[in-house]
Amino acid sequence: MPANQDKYEVIIGLEVHAQLLTQSKLFCSDAAAFGNEPNTNVSPISLAHPGTLPKVNRKAIEFAIKLGLACNCEIVRENYFARKNYFYPDLPKGYQISQHTTPICKGGYVPIFISAEQKNIRLNRIHLEEDAGKSLHDVDEKFTSIDLNRAGTALVEIVTEPDIRSSEEAFQFLTELRKLVRYLGICNGNMEEGSLRCDANISVRKKGDAKLGTKVEVKNLNSIRNVKRAIDAEEALLIDKLENNELIFQQTKSFDAGSGKSFVIREKEDAEDYRYLADADLVPFYLPEEMIEYIKTALPELQRQKIQRFTQQYKLSEYDAAVLTDEKSIADYFENLCALTKDYKAAANWLTGPIKSWLNQNNSDINDFPLPAERIAELIELINKKILNFSFGSSKVFSELIKQPSKSAAELCRENGWEITSDENELEQHISTVLKKYPDKVKEYQKGKKGLLGLFVGEVVKLSRGKADPKKTTELLTEKLKS
């Protein structure tokens, strides 16, 4: 933290590019798939051959409207595309087709929560544009290689007002936005693939000043964590310059995640530098009221709505509902599970406990989880019927099911003799062994340290390889320790 930081406040505006999940590009039928061989998702149109004409992708327009409605934006009825005359070495036309004068969505906001307090981050606009290709500098020793697969893919750019006052608020905004585009099904939000990219405009001023400071733009930040790091680093740098009475110039920078430092890539640029001109090859388009109303009625249930419904329908706590709905795919799995069991709390515990742990350990998504909801429902039933206990079921049986997903939990228990036993003779043998192992603890218990009962029960369960019925074991131990 720089000296005298408390004297200043940081002002942040974000520009976020989200690649839309359309099957084809914005102005032609080339595939928009990620990961194909370089320069295979191309055609005469995306390669800008003379005489070729673009045609607007209707699905991209629908996706932009969908996002605008979810962000409480005004949907602009009359639209057109313009040419942004800025040289992109990996965009064959030599200009980018974008919306400038008429963004498809105006205003709106995205709510974030800081210390449980809601703050609405206002949006300036959401507009459609095409993406550029990708320049690769490490493929050839002497030359820069170009991959045009991404050139022309459909993007929406989400531009905030300068409402963000900390790197933490920026982090929360991007987290909420990524969640939103995934819930809407319009973008996969994978920043590592470049599907979601962020530019941060950062300035600082003394607290109480009305005038904004000179801004610095940090481009193409490729993770939410790096957005936070870049803002913190730039804020400290700008404050140090002000403290030392140095001039701050409007610059565009890039952020080196390895060193945690930014570096200048070009000086000041304004909209005038791009010489926007209406694209003569694309006619203006009008959005009819019935189209907007249809998209509005088809909007999916979003996270805040799901949280409210989960607390009412499944009687979950606000915390559990928030965790389960943080990712739509997790929420969907939970609802599939709840269709198979009425023990909703147990279903929530399995998702937030063993399943979440497995996903984290394997760096996996729930869509890659090998067990269908039916297998977890079987485990819940076996535990509720006292055939298994949760501890053994969530460790041993769960891990074996993942290895053998075609088998049911009941089959595995029968084959391996894992069913809970309440046989008193067997349990008393284990109890005697445990009490002989811990004579000092037995004395402590009998002197009043009753909390040790849990230790004894746990040791009996462990000795029985998870088969001991904890309730019956507790009864027998309590009786045995009286003598």
Side-chain angles (χ1 to χ4, degrees):
M1 180 185 291
N4 300 320
Q5 184 172 16
D6 289 345
K7 290 165 42 181
Y8 298 91
E9 69 172 345
V10 64
I11 313 296
I12 304 158
L14 300 180
E15 300 171 14
V16 185
H17 291 85
Q19 184 175 320
L20 298 177
L21 285 173
T22 53
Q23 292 186 346
S24 56
K25 295 182 180 180
L26 185 53
F27 299 113
C28 64
S29 60
D30 300 355
F34 174 81
N36 289 359
E37 285 295 311
N39 298 308
T40 54
N41 297 351
V42 293
S43 68
I45 296 177
S46 58
L47 295 174
H49 287 192
T52 56
L53 290 172
K55 183 179 179 181
V56 180
N57 186 325
R58 179 186 173 93
K59 184 60 72 175
I61 293 172
E62 291 175 2
F63 281 175
I65 295 170
K66 208 173 185 181
L67 179 59
L69 291 170
C71 292
N72 311 287
C73 300
E74 172 198 348
I75 308 301
V76 177
R77 285 3 184 219
E78 295 181 2
N79 289 260
Y80 70 85
F81 284 96
R83 295 180 181 181
K84 181 180 179 182
N85 289 280
Y86 175 81
F87 177 67
Y88 290 90
D90 39 21
L91 200 54
K93 292 190 297 291
Y95 58 84
Q96 181 190 40
I97 302 177
S98 178
Q99 288 183 312
H100 177 65
T101 310
T102 59
I104 195 166
C105 309
K106 287 183 179 178
Y109 62 88
V110 173
I112 65 170
F113 293 85
I114 301 291
S115 302
E117 292 290 320
Q118 179 173 329
K119 176 178 179 178
N120 292 336
I121 304 300
R122 293 175 301 148
L123 303 182
N124 177 280
R125 66 184 184 275
I126 298 171
H127 66 257
L128 282 159
E129 64 185 25
E130 62 179 342
D131 204 352
K134 191 174 183 181
S135 296
L136 306 167
H137 306 292
D138 55 358
V139 175
D140 191 285
E141 287 185 8
K142 297 181 180 179
F143 302 101
T144 292
S145 300
I146 303 280
D147 180 7
L148 294 173
N149 279 353
R150 201 172 66 185
T153 54
L155 302 177
V156 284
E157 181 174 355
I158 303 103
V159 182
T160 77
E161 297 289 0
D163 283 357
I164 299 169
R165 292 293 178 270
S166 69
S167 62
E168 178 59 28
E169 287 188 9
F171 184 95
Q172 293 301 327
F173 173 83
L174 285 169
T175 300
E176 289 300 317
L177 184 64
R178 181 170 65 177
K179 197 183 300 177
L180 180 59
V181 296
R182 285 174 169 172
Y183 258 89
L184 293 170
I186 66 171
C187 174
N188 63 25
N190 292 338
M191 296 189 83
E192 64 277 8
E193 295 179 4
S195 301
L196 200 68
R197 306 191 294 277
C198 180
D199 304 337
N201 294 291
I202 308 156
S203 66
V204 295
R205 67 184 177 190
K206 284 190 176 179
K207 289 180 179 176
D209 285 356
K211 185 179 178 182
L212 293 173
T214 302
K215 72 173 182 178
V216 171
E217 182 181 27
V218 185
K219 298 283 285 184
N220 292 327
L221 295 162
N222 62 0
S223 77
I224 296 179
R225 179 173 171 269
N226 281 339
V227 171
K228 191 175 190 299
R229 292 176 64 213
I231 290 170
D232 285 336
E234 208 59 39
E235 179 185 2
L237 186 64
L238 291 171
I239 289 174
D240 281 341
K241 286 188 175 183
L242 289 176
E243 284 289 292
N244 293 314
N245 296 314
E246 295 179 36
L247 285 175
I248 296 173
F249 298 99
Q250 186 173 322
Q251 296 172 325
T252 300
K253 293 185 167 186
S254 187
F255 180 70
D256 183 343
S259 67
K261 296 179 180 179
S262 61
F263 55 91
V264 177
I265 53 177
R266 57 179 178 265
E267 294 300 324
K268 174 182 176 180
E269 275 178 352
D270 290 309
E272 292 76 23
D273 299 322
Y274 299 132
R275 304 186 314 281
Y276 285 99
L277 181 70
D279 194 300
D281 292 334
L282 288 161
V283 297
F285 61 95
Y286 179 81
L287 302 176
E289 199 64 40
E290 54 268 25
M291 177 184 182
I292 296 168
E293 283 302 313
Y294 174 77
I295 294 172
K296 186 183 292 186
T297 57
L299 281 176
E301 184 182 46
L302 301 178
Q303 189 193 18
R304 293 310 304 174
Q305 297 163 317
K306 273 195 189 297
I307 290 174
Q308 186 176 13
R309 181 167 63 82
F310 278 21
T311 56
Q312 293 173 353
Q313 182 176 344
Y314 300 117
K315 309 303 179 190
L316 300 179
S317 68
E318 184 91 9
Y319 174 80
D320 281 347
V323 171
L324 289 168
T325 58
D326 193 55
E327 295 178 38
K328 184 178 181 296
S329 53
I330 295 279
D332 290 343
Y333 190 100
F334 172 74
E335 296 224 71
N336 289 339
L337 183 52
C338 287
L340 301 166
T341 178
K342 298 304 178 188
D343 192 341
Y344 305 137
K345 179 58 179 172
N349 289 342
W350 275 93
L351 260 298
T352 58
I355 295 174
K356 194 79 169 175
S357 295
W358 187 91
L359 296 177
N360 291 338
Q361 288 166 11
N362 292 276
N363 195 26
S364 286
D365 182 86
I366 191 69
N367 295 319
D368 301 320
F369 183 58
L371 298 181
E374 287 81 2
R375 291 288 177 263
I376 306 301
E378 290 165 3
L379 275 170
I380 292 172
E381 184 180 11
L382 290 176
I383 291 165
N384 287 344
K385 287 182 175 179
K386 311 297 184 188
I387 297 171
L388 275 179
N389 65 57
F390 177 78
S391 176
F392 190 77
S394 62
S395 54
K396 185 66 176 176
V397 183
F398 179 69
S399 60
E400 284 301 315
L401 274 173
I402 287 173
K403 294 175 189 173
Q404 305 180 65
S406 62
K407 290 193 174 182
S408 71
E411 281 180 284
L412 283 175
C413 288
R414 281 195 301 272
E415 289 174 6
N416 294 279
W418 287 340
E419 296 93 340
I420 280 179
T421 179
S422 298
D423 181 273
E424 291 193 13
N425 291 331
E426 186 178 342
L427 291 176
E428 284 183 348
Q429 287 178 20
H430 293 318
I431 287 168
S432 295
T433 302
V434 168
L435 296 183
K436 286 176 184 175
K437 183 179 177 182
Y438 295 102
D440 293 342
K441 299 293 182 186
V442 171
K443 288 177 183 177
E444 288 179 37
Y445 175 88
Q446 290 172 338
K447 287 179 181 179
K449 203 170 181 180
K450 302 303 181 185
L452 287 169
L453 186 62
L455 167 71
F456 299 137
V457 172
E459 287 296 313
V460 171
V461 171
K462 191 188 298 182
L463 195 60
S464 69
R465 295 175 62 229
K467 291 170 58 180
D469 178 359
K471 185 178 178 182
K472 188 67 177 176
T473 301
T474 301
E475 291 174 4
L476 293 172
L477 266 166
T478 304
E479 193 62 34
K480 187 84 172 175
L481 287 164
K482 284 180 182 177
S483 54

